[in-house]
Each structure stands twice: as structure tokens, then as C-alpha cells.
Amino acid sequence: MFFNILKPALNIPKAVYDEMINHAKDSYPHECCGVLVGSQHKEKRIFSAHRVQNQNKDRASDRYIIDPKDINMIDRQCRVEDTQILGFYHSHPDHPDRPSQYDREWGQPGYSYVIVSVNGGKDVSAKSWTFDEDDEPFREEKIKISS
Amino acid sequence: MPIKVRIPTPLRKLTNGSDEVSADGKTIKELIDDLEDNFPGLKERICESDGRLRRFVNLYLNDEDIRFKKNMDTELKDNDEISIIPAIAGGRA
């Protein structure tokens, strides 16, 4: 139990969590994606989730690409607000909420990657994953939903 | 002529945690060499060994991708801002 308390967590307000879930359902059977903005001191706290378009039009059902232009625009706003991009979310239609080999291949250290599983367009679950060094696998970070 | 460079989370270990640093250069190439002098290891995270931009990295000069300008030879001027933006992609398969 004690170790669970020490494990890093990703704090997400319920409204933001619901926004990611709804985006994943709306986009089914395609993958959705978005950018997570917040602040990090002792803990990672997400303030907002920004929907962006999946730029992978050819394989939207099983892959996503975020336009760097979208990331640049959101990051510019972060500078004004004194927030930062803490991670990204995407959905796995009819697939578990754990990272694929392809997710790891493209993963970047330090970010949180929230994966929303959507089965049949209705049943959803979400987990967050991260890693610190390039040679490490993803590890789960607990999502703490606040009201 | 110091130019502001926005550092993304994955590279902040190399800038002592700073999310923004200053660097000098008349072109992107010179700017990256100056970054490397002050933050060793940063260049190899941005460039391939032949000096080209890495596949997983995008460089934005203000609001424009340098790949649509003169790439590493893109010229810089006062008050320009550079953002290093990691490529973000993935998917279930």
C-alpha cells in the first residue's frame, strides 16, 4: 500500500477526463488524439485536454499523428498561461488501453500518454503511461480523477 | 543576438530543467552549434550525424516549420523564437 502512495500519478479533473472519453467515443472507429496541458511540481496536474485532428488519414483506424503545428500553437498559449504540455492522449478502438509496440517506437521520454480503449464505440477505459529514459519500456502511472 | 529557444519536456534534462534557453546564430545551423556548446548532448537529439534534422524532431521558427523554409540554412533575425517540437504519433498497431 505504501508503495502505491509513492507511485507518480496523473491528476485529471473529471470534466477533462470526460472530454477525452467523449472524444474517443465521437471518433470511433477511428483513433482520436489530443494534447494535455497542465503543470508539474511535485505532481502532474492536468488542467485541459485539447482535441486535435488525427493527421494519419490513411490509417486512422489504428494509428495517429499529431500535427506539430498544433503542438506549437498550444505550446505558445502555454507560455502565456505559465502552463506546459505534459502529455498526449489517443484512443485504441476495439483494443486494450495499453501501449502498442508502435506507441513505444514513437514515444518520447517524460510525457504522459493517456490511452483510451473504446470497445464497440461504447465501453471505455483509460490508462496513462510514461517512461523516463530512451531505453526504458512504458510504465503505468495511476490516473487520479478529481471533481 | 540572443534568440529564445523553447525546449520540450523530453530534452529538459539537457538544459538543467529549463523550458526556455537563449542561443546565438545567424542561421539555424549556427544556433544549434551554439546550443551544443552550452548544453552538450542537445545537438545529437536534434540532428542526425550528417547534420540533417532527425525524423522525430520538428523545428519551428516562430509559426513556420523550417523544413518549409531553408531548413538548417534558414536565416534568423532579432526577436525570432525557435521551438523544438517532438514528433508525436502512435496507435494500436
Side-chain angles (χ1 to χ4, degrees):
Chain A
M1 285 294 284
F2 185 62
F3 287 110
N4 283 337
I5 294 168
L6 291 179
K7 273 187 182 175
L10 186 67
N11 294 272
I12 307 178
K14 187 172 187 311
V16 175
Y17 183 82
D18 288 347
E19 164 63 14
M20 288 189 291
I21 298 294
N22 288 334
H23 192 191
K25 284 182 180 174
D26 293 346
S27 304
Y28 183 88
H30 294 150
E31 294 204 3
C32 73
C33 51
V35 181
L36 298 172
V37 168
S39 72
Q40 180 171 14
H41 296 290
K42 283 181 184 171
E43 288 189 316
K44 291 179 180 175
R45 293 193 174 278
I46 302 298
F47 301 149
S48 56
H50 299 255
R51 290 186 182 209
V52 295
Q53 278 213 332
N54 181 356
Q55 296 298 320
N56 196 332
K57 306 295 182 196
D58 295 334
R59 292 189 57 171
S61 62
D62 63 1
R63 287 190 177 174
Y64 76 97
I65 298 171
I66 296 182
D67 190 335
K69 192 181 287 184
D70 288 332
I71 298 173
N72 188 44
M73 198 172 66
I74 292 166
D75 189 55
R76 281 178 161 263
Q77 187 61 31
C78 286
R79 280 184 246 187
V80 175
E81 297 170 347
D82 196 22
T83 55
Q84 55 179 311
I85 293 173
L86 293 183
F88 305 90
Y89 71 89
H90 72 280
S91 60
H92 279 182
D94 300 318
H95 201 75
D97 52 11
R98 61 170 183 267
S100 66
Q101 192 177 336
Y102 192 71
D103 283 324
R104 179 59 190 84
E105 184 185 331
W106 281 86
Q108 300 278 345
Y111 285 133
S112 293
Y113 287 84
V114 174
I115 298 176
V116 183
S117 168
V118 193
N119 284 304
K122 292 177 184 170
D123 296 331
V124 294
S125 62
K127 287 192 171 84
S128 183
W129 305 86
T130 191
F131 62 94
D132 295 322
E133 304 292 339
D134 282 326
D135 58 354
E136 289 178 359
F138 269 117
R139 66 169 189 280
E140 187 182 348
E141 59 180 357
K142 187 176 172 54
I143 293 178
K144 281 163 64 175
I145 301 173
S146 56
S147 53
Chain B
M1 181 183 71
I3 287 175
K4 281 186 198 168
V5 182
R6 183 77 166 164
I7 306 294
T9 299
L11 300 184
R12 288 181 195 161
K13 273 181 279 188
L14 298 168
T15 58
N16 307 313
S18 294
D19 58 6
E20 195 170 283
V21 300
S22 288
D24 285 308
K26 288 176 188 158
T27 62
I28 297 282
K29 184 180 178 306
E30 287 183 15
L31 182 99
I32 290 172
D33 286 339
D34 190 55
L35 280 174
E36 177 65 16
D37 287 344
N38 292 298
F39 307 103
L42 203 49
K43 184 175 180 178
E44 69 173 23
R45 301 297 300 269
I46 300 171
C47 301
E48 303 286 0
S49 54
D50 62 4
R52 283 182 306 155
L53 202 56
R54 286 183 68 172
R55 174 185 172 214
F56 292 90
V57 178
N58 304 284
L59 283 186
Y60 270 67
L61 168 57
N62 304 318
D63 289 325
E64 281 191 87
D65 188 334
I66 66 155
R67 288 189 176 98
F68 299 117
K69 295 173 80 73
K70 292 183 191 167
N71 229 315
M72 291 301 191
D73 296 322
T74 304
E75 289 156 10
L76 301 171
K77 59 181 188 305
D78 283 348
N79 300 318
D80 274 345
E81 290 184 6
I82 297 290
S83 293
I84 305 170
I85 298 174
I88 301 297
R92 65 178 178 161

